[in-house]
Amino acid sequence: MMKSYILNLNSIEKVKGFVSIINNIDGYFDLVSGRYVVDAKSIMGIFSMDLSRNVEFRILETNENISEIEKAISPYVVKG
């Protein structure tokens, strides 16, 4: 049931806000940049990525409503 979204997390404030939101959602989530994959709930992992580029957010497993997750992360999703 993997879904993915392209996110822009190019500032410290965006990363902090995103991690705060995602840590309140039950499930497993990854952020991907090229071949580099980190736990989306790990602020240290996220800061180790090249955040000047957009990253892919993957919902791997969750019991939460996907539309609620989409609404929560919408400020970070790259519209395209």
Side-chain angles (χ1 to χ4, degrees), residues 2-36:
M2 188 181 88
K3 289 196 66 139
S4 68
Y5 307 85
I6 302 301
L7 306 183
N8 181 301
L9 299 174
N10 64 354
S11 72
I12 292 170
E13 292 76 24
K14 285 183 180 180
V15 172
K16 286 180 180 178
F18 174 78
V19 170
S20 175
I21 290 167
I22 211 68
N23 273 309
N24 289 314
I25 301 173
D26 184 42
Y28 297 98
F29 313 98
D30 283 341
L31 286 176
V32 181
S33 179
R35 291 187 287 164
Y36 196 59

Side-chain angles (χ1 to χ4, degrees), residues 33-44:
S33 179
R35 291 187 287 164
Y36 196 59
V37 180
V38 300
D39 180 347
K41 294 186 176 190
S42 168
I43 196 163
M44 293 304 289

Side-chain angles (χ1 to χ4, degrees), residues 44-55:
M44 293 304 289
I46 295 171
F47 279 128
S48 71
M49 303 178 86
D50 177 5
L51 298 175
S52 66
R53 298 172 51 190
N54 292 334
V55 295

